[in-house]
Amino acid sequence: MLSVHSCGCCRVFAARAIQFQTTPSLFFSTPNYKSRVGTARRVAASSGFAGDSGSDLRQETIADTRTNYAGVRLEETVDNGIRSGKLRLDSWISSRISGISRARVQSSIRAGLVQVNGRVVDKVSFNVKAGDEISCTISELQTLRAVPENIPLDIVYEDEHVLVINKPAHMVILYIYPSVVHPAPGNTSGTLVNGILHHCNLPNVEYSKEEALSNTEDSDDEFNSFYTNASSCEGLSSRPAVASIRPGIVHRLDKGTSGLLVVAKDEHSHMKLSEQFKLRTIKRVYVSLTAGLPTPVAGRVEVPVGRDPNNRLRMTAVAGPLNPRKSRHAASRYKVIEILARGGCALVEWKLETGRTHQIRAHAKYLGVPLLGDEVYGATRSMVLSLLRPRTPSGLHSKIVQMVSRIDRPCLHALTLGFKHPHTGQEVHFSCEPPADFDEILNQLRKISNEGAFFTKHSIS
């Protein structure tokens, strides 16, 4: 395995062979947890096409498949061996060009670049049958309206196919819905994508509404759209019913969430990583500080998550029959790592089985323990103080007030990330400690616990 650590300039890396530690809870048991670990290796890109050698695919387009796919042509007859039943045109073309997203194919169909038996077909759901002759040219991607900016990045790992970044809290990622809005100046600046574009080129990957929904990450994490003002990206704007342009971004983290994020540097890698998220094979571990102690201290929450009808800025977890129009299946496993402030708070580990918008935040609120700093989900300052004051001596109340007043984001951190490398097939794992603000709050809560125990002991004696 490789231990990869970014230096101060985030562009130079040192690597040495070590054994990866797979137990993130050990991360909190010692004061020295300043390490990042992972495994990966460089490989050459494949040709990018699936299918047998008899496919009439023009050879000069193969080189384009690593990054763009624009202009790739497919001329092929639907095989007689296809299964009986309906087979959509967009699905069939997607299966014949390896690595391309279905939304990219759909855009090509709608643009009139696909013919069936010599006739232009612009309906993506058109049913094809054995013997149909298909001719397709992949359309150009829409121009990305984001400019490179020299923003410091904490790069944990990089090769020619993927980039793993430790995202700081308060940094917006970036989503683009070019058919919906032309953003005002200033709304596209200072984002993670702006910084990545300064570091390297990113593929523009187009997603349909359906594909975007299937990939919803823990935004935790997903649909603060590009036209939402950066200062309010903690909220959730309405999802437009059009394709989105997502430059290299496979999943994302909320503006206030810190931690590990993987970025695809070519379209093939984007497709492979997105597929792993869809199949739920990505390994993700988060840690949080909660207002209150979960009961029981370990368990599994399987409660659908949907938009709160009374507050469009948040999601809600409501037990009961699943309504696919209003809520989606969501499951999280949690475990208390450490009880803090004599039960007033807790350090909690989360493992996601699904990745829904604000899943951890919604499930934490459902358990009655919203994340510290997450006022949108109920952890207001007054609520947190009402938990901590009765559990600590009056002499510590001023310290508690100062600590709570300094919390300016939900205390949630993406601690570990594991996935199958899109080109090598090798399992890779990365871990990154929480940032200074999270660590400072954790240490202060520990100190309150210790001092509270000291005051209690001496008051009894």
mmCIF file of all heavy atoms in Angstrom, residues 21 39 69 75-76 82 101 147 190-191 210 221 255-256 258 292 302 322 324 342 349 357 359 369 396 400 440 457-458:
data_model
loop_
_atom_site.group_PDB
_atom_site.id
_atom_site.type_symbol
_atom_site.label_atom_id
_atom_site.label_comp_id
_atom_site.label_asym_id
_atom_site.label_seq_id
_atom_site.Cartn_x
_atom_site.Cartn_y
_atom_site.Cartn_z
ATOM 1 N N GLN A 21 -4.259 1.243 7.994
ATOM 2 C CA GLN A 21 -5.082 0.996 9.164
ATOM 3 C C GLN A 21 -6.547 1.145 8.786
ATOM 4 O O GLN A 21 -6.944 2.177 8.278
ATOM 5 C CB GLN A 21 -4.734 1.990 10.285
ATOM 6 C CG GLN A 21 -3.301 1.866 10.776
ATOM 7 C CD GLN A 21 -3.051 0.534 11.449
ATOM 8 O OE1 GLN A 21 -3.912 0.016 12.138
ATOM 9 N NE2 GLN A 21 -1.873 -0.026 11.255
ATOM 10 N N THR A 39 -3.925 3.616 -1.428
ATOM 11 C CA THR A 39 -3.224 2.797 -2.391
ATOM 12 C C THR A 39 -3.741 3.133 -3.772
ATOM 13 O O THR A 39 -4.921 3.368 -3.977
ATOM 14 C CB THR A 39 -3.459 1.297 -2.155
ATOM 15 O OG1 THR A 39 -4.827 1.010 -2.369
ATOM 16 C CG2 THR A 39 -3.060 0.897 -0.755
ATOM 17 N N TYR A 69 -15.345 12.276 -25.829
ATOM 18 C CA TYR A 69 -16.339 11.517 -26.590
ATOM 19 C C TYR A 69 -16.974 12.324 -27.716
ATOM 20 O O TYR A 69 -17.721 11.772 -28.520
ATOM 21 C CB TYR A 69 -17.465 10.972 -25.700
ATOM 22 C CG TYR A 69 -17.050 9.858 -24.783
ATOM 23 C CD1 TYR A 69 -16.598 10.135 -23.497
ATOM 24 C CD2 TYR A 69 -17.114 8.535 -25.186
ATOM 25 C CE1 TYR A 69 -16.217 9.117 -22.648
ATOM 26 C CE2 TYR A 69 -16.745 7.514 -24.338
ATOM 27 C CZ TYR A 69 -16.293 7.808 -23.074
ATOM 28 O OH TYR A 69 -15.915 6.792 -22.229
ATOM 29 N N GLU A 75 -21.878 3.033 -35.733
ATOM 30 C CA GLU A 75 -22.732 2.531 -36.806
ATOM 31 C C GLU A 75 -22.807 1.025 -36.642
ATOM 32 O O GLU A 75 -21.822 0.324 -36.883
ATOM 33 C CB GLU A 75 -22.181 2.917 -38.171
ATOM 34 C CG GLU A 75 -22.173 4.420 -38.424
ATOM 35 C CD GLU A 75 -21.569 4.786 -39.774
ATOM 36 O OE1 GLU A 75 -21.070 3.855 -40.463
ATOM 37 O OE2 GLU A 75 -21.585 5.980 -40.129
ATOM 38 N N GLU A 76 -23.961 0.545 -36.224
ATOM 39 C CA GLU A 76 -24.051 -0.856 -35.853
ATOM 40 C C GLU A 76 -25.492 -1.336 -35.982
ATOM 41 O O GLU A 76 -26.446 -0.553 -35.878
ATOM 42 C CB GLU A 76 -23.553 -1.039 -34.419
ATOM 43 C CG GLU A 76 -23.336 -2.481 -34.008
ATOM 44 C CD GLU A 76 -22.617 -2.570 -32.665
ATOM 45 O OE1 GLU A 76 -21.961 -1.585 -32.286
ATOM 46 O OE2 GLU A 76 -22.722 -3.602 -31.994
ATOM 47 N N ILE A 82 -30.614 -10.094 -28.740
ATOM 48 C CA ILE A 82 -31.084 -9.297 -27.609
ATOM 49 C C ILE A 82 -32.296 -9.952 -26.978
ATOM 50 O O ILE A 82 -33.056 -10.665 -27.636
ATOM 51 C CB ILE A 82 -31.428 -7.851 -28.030
ATOM 52 C CG1 ILE A 82 -32.644 -7.845 -28.973
ATOM 53 C CG2 ILE A 82 -30.263 -7.163 -28.665
ATOM 54 C CD1 ILE A 82 -33.194 -6.458 -29.219
ATOM 55 N N SER A 101 -21.829 8.522 -20.374
ATOM 56 C CA SER A 101 -23.019 8.612 -19.543
ATOM 57 C C SER A 101 -24.259 8.575 -20.425
ATOM 58 O O SER A 101 -24.244 9.011 -21.582
ATOM 59 C CB SER A 101 -23.004 9.906 -18.721
ATOM 60 O OG SER A 101 -23.199 11.028 -19.549
ATOM 61 N N VAL A 147 -14.032 29.413 -14.443
ATOM 62 C CA VAL A 147 -12.676 29.802 -14.804
ATOM 63 C C VAL A 147 -11.708 29.293 -13.750
ATOM 64 O O VAL A 147 -12.042 29.187 -12.575
ATOM 65 C CB VAL A 147 -12.553 31.334 -14.930
ATOM 66 C CG1 VAL A 147 -13.433 31.845 -16.055
ATOM 67 C CG2 VAL A 147 -12.913 32.023 -13.627
ATOM 68 N N GLY A 190 -14.339 31.149 -6.346
ATOM 69 C CA GLY A 190 -13.929 30.613 -5.057
ATOM 70 C C GLY A 190 -14.415 29.218 -4.761
ATOM 71 O O GLY A 190 -14.332 28.767 -3.623
ATOM 72 N N THR A 191 -14.895 28.496 -5.764
ATOM 73 C CA THR A 191 -15.390 27.143 -5.547
ATOM 74 C C THR A 191 -14.273 26.123 -5.707
ATOM 75 O O THR A 191 -13.199 26.415 -6.236
ATOM 76 C CB THR A 191 -16.515 26.795 -6.531
ATOM 77 O OG1 THR A 191 -15.969 26.620 -7.843
ATOM 78 C CG2 THR A 191 -17.578 27.885 -6.567
ATOM 79 N N GLU A 210 -32.648 12.171 -14.005
ATOM 80 C CA GLU A 210 -32.774 10.842 -13.414
ATOM 81 C C GLU A 210 -31.438 10.322 -12.927
ATOM 82 O O GLU A 210 -31.316 9.758 -11.844
ATOM 83 C CB GLU A 210 -33.379 9.871 -14.434
ATOM 84 C CG GLU A 210 -34.842 10.141 -14.769
ATOM 85 C CD GLU A 210 -35.019 11.321 -15.713
ATOM 86 O OE1 GLU A 210 -34.009 11.781 -16.299
ATOM 87 O OE2 GLU A 210 -36.159 11.789 -15.862
ATOM 88 N N ASP A 221 -25.618 15.303 0.236
ATOM 89 C CA ASP A 221 -24.618 16.146 -0.185
ATOM 90 C C ASP A 221 -24.909 16.414 -1.606
ATOM 91 O O ASP A 221 -24.155 15.982 -2.328
ATOM 92 C CB ASP A 221 -23.354 15.455 -0.169
ATOM 93 C CG ASP A 221 -22.692 15.233 1.093
ATOM 94 O OD1 ASP A 221 -23.240 15.101 2.087
ATOM 95 O OD2 ASP A 221 -21.552 15.203 1.061
ATOM 96 N N LYS A 255 -21.489 22.470 1.802
ATOM 97 C CA LYS A 255 -20.600 23.607 2.027
ATOM 98 C C LYS A 255 -19.942 23.532 3.404
ATOM 99 O O LYS A 255 -18.747 23.778 3.553
ATOM 100 C CB LYS A 255 -21.391 24.907 1.891
ATOM 101 C CG LYS A 255 -20.598 26.171 2.201
ATOM 102 C CD LYS A 255 -21.493 27.390 2.157
ATOM 103 C CE LYS A 255 -20.724 28.639 2.556
ATOM 104 N NZ LYS A 255 -21.603 29.828 2.597
ATOM 105 N N GLY A 256 -20.704 23.159 4.423
ATOM 106 C CA GLY A 256 -20.171 23.138 5.776
ATOM 107 C C GLY A 256 -19.447 21.868 6.159
ATOM 108 O O GLY A 256 -18.820 21.803 7.215
ATOM 109 N N SER A 258 -16.527 19.059 5.926
ATOM 110 C CA SER A 258 -15.127 18.927 5.518
ATOM 111 C C SER A 258 -14.833 17.469 5.207
ATOM 112 O O SER A 258 -15.597 16.580 5.554
ATOM 113 C CB SER A 258 -14.200 19.422 6.637
ATOM 114 O OG SER A 258 -14.440 18.682 7.839
ATOM 115 N N GLY A 292 -26.199 15.952 22.225
ATOM 116 C CA GLY A 292 -26.897 14.877 22.900
ATOM 117 C C GLY A 292 -26.253 13.533 22.613
ATOM 118 O O GLY A 292 -25.373 13.410 21.746
ATOM 119 N N GLU A 302 -32.910 3.244 9.354
ATOM 120 C CA GLU A 302 -33.444 3.027 8.008
ATOM 121 C C GLU A 302 -34.774 3.766 7.920
ATOM 122 O O GLU A 302 -35.845 3.210 8.132
ATOM 123 C CB GLU A 302 -33.622 1.542 7.708
ATOM 124 C CG GLU A 302 -34.026 1.267 6.261
ATOM 125 C CD GLU A 302 -34.090 -0.211 5.930
ATOM 126 O OE1 GLU A 302 -33.980 -1.029 6.866
ATOM 127 O OE2 GLU A 302 -34.246 -0.551 4.743
ATOM 128 N N LEU A 322 -42.968 4.447 2.150
ATOM 129 C CA LEU A 322 -42.098 5.233 1.285
ATOM 130 C C LEU A 322 -42.906 5.857 0.164
ATOM 131 O O LEU A 322 -43.601 5.171 -0.563
ATOM 132 C CB LEU A 322 -40.989 4.342 0.705
ATOM 133 C CG LEU A 322 -39.972 5.020 -0.206
ATOM 134 C CD1 LEU A 322 -39.151 6.019 0.596
ATOM 135 C CD2 LEU A 322 -39.034 3.975 -0.831
ATOM 136 N N PRO A 324 -42.179 7.677 -3.163
ATOM 137 C CA PRO A 324 -41.044 7.979 -4.026
ATOM 138 C C PRO A 324 -41.024 9.407 -4.535
ATOM 139 O O PRO A 324 -39.980 9.921 -4.909
ATOM 140 C CB PRO A 324 -41.202 6.974 -5.177
ATOM 141 C CG PRO A 324 -42.640 6.554 -5.148
ATOM 142 C CD PRO A 324 -43.050 6.625 -3.710
ATOM 143 N N ARG A 342 -20.133 14.675 29.728
ATOM 144 C CA ARG A 342 -20.980 13.901 30.639
ATOM 145 C C ARG A 342 -22.350 13.589 30.022
ATOM 146 O O ARG A 342 -23.382 13.621 30.672
ATOM 147 C CB ARG A 342 -21.138 14.651 31.958
ATOM 148 C CG ARG A 342 -19.802 15.012 32.595
ATOM 149 C CD ARG A 342 -19.964 15.842 33.830
ATOM 150 N NE ARG A 342 -20.488 15.045 34.958
ATOM 151 C CZ ARG A 342 -20.787 15.564 36.148
ATOM 152 N NH1 ARG A 342 -20.638 16.880 36.358
ATOM 153 N NH2 ARG A 342 -21.240 14.798 37.106
ATOM 154 N N GLU A 349 -19.528 7.990 14.922
ATOM 155 C CA GLU A 349 -19.073 7.522 13.612
ATOM 156 C C GLU A 349 -20.297 7.106 12.787
ATOM 157 O O GLU A 349 -21.202 6.445 13.287
ATOM 158 C CB GLU A 349 -18.129 6.327 13.789
ATOM 159 C CG GLU A 349 -17.720 5.646 12.497
ATOM 160 C CD GLU A 349 -16.953 4.354 12.766
ATOM 161 O OE1 GLU A 349 -15.745 4.458 13.052
ATOM 162 O OE2 GLU A 349 -17.573 3.273 12.720
ATOM 163 N N THR A 357 -29.521 13.389 0.066
ATOM 164 C CA THR A 357 -29.304 14.779 0.430
ATOM 165 C C THR A 357 -29.442 14.967 1.938
ATOM 166 O O THR A 357 -30.469 14.612 2.512
ATOM 167 C CB THR A 357 -30.318 15.681 -0.304
ATOM 168 O OG1 THR A 357 -30.221 15.447 -1.700
ATOM 169 C CG2 THR A 357 -30.054 17.142 -0.004
ATOM 170 N N GLN A 359 -28.347 13.316 4.367
ATOM 171 C CA GLN A 359 -28.780 12.081 5.033
ATOM 172 C C GLN A 359 -28.348 12.013 6.489
ATOM 173 O O GLN A 359 -29.161 11.726 7.383
ATOM 174 C CB GLN A 359 -28.258 10.862 4.276
ATOM 175 C CG GLN A 359 -28.618 9.532 4.932
ATOM 176 C CD GLN A 359 -28.238 8.346 4.086
ATOM 177 O OE1 GLN A 359 -28.412 8.349 2.882
ATOM 178 N NE2 GLN A 359 -27.677 7.308 4.715
ATOM 179 N N VAL A 369 -30.561 13.844 18.106
ATOM 180 C CA VAL A 369 -29.225 14.356 18.417
ATOM 181 C C VAL A 369 -28.671 15.099 17.200
ATOM 182 O O VAL A 369 -27.752 14.619 16.523
ATOM 183 C CB VAL A 369 -28.261 13.228 18.854
ATOM 184 C CG1 VAL A 369 -28.626 12.716 20.228
ATOM 185 C CG2 VAL A 369 -28.271 12.072 17.849
ATOM 186 N N LEU A 396 -17.880 26.715 34.869
ATOM 187 C CA LEU A 396 -17.481 26.430 33.490
ATOM 188 C C LEU A 396 -18.472 26.970 32.466
ATOM 189 O O LEU A 396 -18.251 26.842 31.260
ATOM 190 C CB LEU A 396 -17.344 24.918 33.287
ATOM 191 C CG LEU A 396 -16.283 24.202 34.119
ATOM 192 C CD1 LEU A 396 -16.315 22.706 33.852
ATOM 193 C CD2 LEU A 396 -14.891 24.757 33.810
ATOM 194 N N ILE A 400 -18.375 27.334 28.212
ATOM 195 C CA ILE A 400 -19.330 26.669 27.329
ATOM 196 C C ILE A 400 -19.934 27.666 26.346
ATOM 197 O O ILE A 400 -20.038 27.397 25.146
ATOM 198 C CB ILE A 400 -20.431 25.983 28.158
ATOM 199 C CG1 ILE A 400 -19.852 24.847 28.980
ATOM 200 C CG2 ILE A 400 -21.545 25.460 27.249
ATOM 201 C CD1 ILE A 400 -20.846 24.247 29.948
ATOM 202 N N GLU A 440 -10.619 21.301 17.772
ATOM 203 C CA GLU A 440 -10.645 22.222 18.912
ATOM 204 C C GLU A 440 -11.921 22.031 19.737
ATOM 205 O O GLU A 440 -11.875 21.995 20.975
ATOM 206 C CB GLU A 440 -10.565 23.665 18.412
ATOM 207 C CG GLU A 440 -10.592 24.694 19.531
ATOM 208 C CD GLU A 440 -10.568 26.124 19.022
ATOM 209 O OE1 GLU A 440 -10.482 26.309 17.790
ATOM 210 O OE2 GLU A 440 -10.654 27.046 19.855
ATOM 211 N N LYS A 457 -16.114 15.792 42.100
ATOM 212 C CA LYS A 457 -15.393 14.999 43.109
ATOM 213 C C LYS A 457 -15.079 15.855 44.330
ATOM 214 O O LYS A 457 -15.288 15.445 45.467
ATOM 215 C CB LYS A 457 -14.100 14.469 42.493
ATOM 216 C CG LYS A 457 -13.235 13.682 43.473
ATOM 217 C CD LYS A 457 -11.975 13.186 42.776
ATOM 218 C CE LYS A 457 -11.050 12.478 43.753
ATOM 219 N NZ LYS A 457 -9.807 12.004 43.100
ATOM 220 N N HIS A 458 -14.611 17.088 44.119
ATOM 221 C CA HIS A 458 -14.208 17.937 45.238
ATOM 222 C C HIS A 458 -15.401 18.537 45.960
ATOM 223 O O HIS A 458 -15.325 18.820 47.156
ATOM 224 C CB HIS A 458 -13.286 19.043 44.737
ATOM 225 C CG HIS A 458 -11.884 18.549 44.490
ATOM 226 N ND1 HIS A 458 -10.897 18.676 45.425
ATOM 227 C CD2 HIS A 458 -11.340 17.865 43.450
ATOM 228 C CE1 HIS A 458 -9.773 18.114 44.956
ATOM 229 N NE2 HIS A 458 -10.024 17.648 43.754
#
